[in-house]
């Protein structure tokens, strides 16, 4: 997966599809800086908005430690909306969206006391994301 040379995305990976899924999933790693731009609530809210409905109410949440670091995780599933253009208007929505049924998103923030918050987003067809869950959690648990 191509990663921009600048900007908040620091890494990107493709996860091969499994079973009857028709496409791969993606794992992206983001760093937004050490100030307010690195707020977990802000980025979790933006991920919730990528799904139809009020998924924040049904999102699974978990917190755990990775050594001395705190990790906060969310899980969302349902209908995923991919913008097909830049956001416009007062609600900052793309004029057209691609809709993907039966998608899942595993999101996490690894909170470091001196290096800011690092965000991990695994999104794709539900079965493919579920198959990658163990490896994804191992990556989070190994954060230093």
């Amino acid at each position: 997966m191509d990663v921009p040379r600048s900007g908040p995305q620091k890494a990107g990976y493709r996860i091969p599809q499994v079973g009857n899924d028709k496409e791969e999933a993606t794992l992206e790693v983001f760093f937004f800086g050490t100030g307010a731009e690195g707020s977990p609530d802000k980025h979790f809210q933006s991920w919730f908005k990528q799904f139809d409905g009020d998924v924040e109410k049904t999102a699974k949440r978990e917190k755990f430690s990775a050594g001395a670091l705190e990790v906060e995780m969310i899980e969302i599933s349902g209908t995923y909306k991919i913008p097909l253009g830049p956001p416009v208007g007062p609600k900052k929505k793309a004029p057209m969206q691609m809709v993907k049924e039966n998608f899942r998103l595993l999101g996490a923030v690894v909170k470091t006391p001196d290096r800011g918050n690092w965000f991990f987003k695994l999104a794709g067809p539900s079965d493919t994301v579920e198959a990658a869950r163990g490896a994804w959690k191992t990556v989070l648990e190994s954060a230093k």
Side-chain angles (χ1 to χ4, degrees):
M1 169 172 216
D2 292 332
V3 176
R5 291 184 184 261
S6 63
Q9 186 177 349
K10 302 305 178 192
Y13 306 93
R14 297 182 192 279
I15 312 299
Q17 72 258 32
V18 300
N20 293 325
D21 285 346
K22 305 224 181 313
E23 60 188 286
E24 59 196 12
T26 58
L27 170 60
E28 298 168 289
V29 180
F30 299 96
F31 177 70
F32 298 96
T34 57
E37 289 300 312
S39 163
D41 288 337
K42 176 181 180 175
H43 295 288
F44 287 172
Q45 284 298 320
S46 73
W47 294 347
F48 293 145
K49 290 177 183 174
Q50 294 174 349
F51 283 79
D52 270 345
D54 190 4
V55 296
E56 182 177 4
K57 288 182 180 176
T58 58
K60 295 178 186 173
R61 295 176 178 263
E62 178 184 348
K63 289 183 181 182
F64 61 91
S65 295
L69 305 178
E70 180 185 332
V71 179
E72 188 175 347
M73 234 171 68
I74 60 167
E75 179 176 350
I76 315 162
S77 60
T79 302
Y80 191 61
K81 303 174 294 185
I82 301 168
L84 298 176
V88 295
K91 292 189 176 183
K92 299 288 184 191
K93 286 191 172 184
M96 292 179 43
Q97 298 174 338
M98 183 184 315
V99 176
K100 305 274 188 169
E101 299 291 337
N102 197 27
F103 259 52
R104 183 173 305 274
L105 182 148
L106 302 177
V109 57
V110 176
K111 300 174 181 179
T112 70
D114 55 351
R115 296 182 311 259
N117 295 329
W118 288 78
F119 293 84
F120 296 78
K121 177 183 173 188
L122 173 59
S126 194
D127 289 345
T128 299
V129 170
E130 190 59 37
R133 177 189 299 272
W136 182 75
K137 193 154 183 190
T138 298
V139 167
L140 296 174
E141 290 169 341
S142 69
K144 296 181 179 186

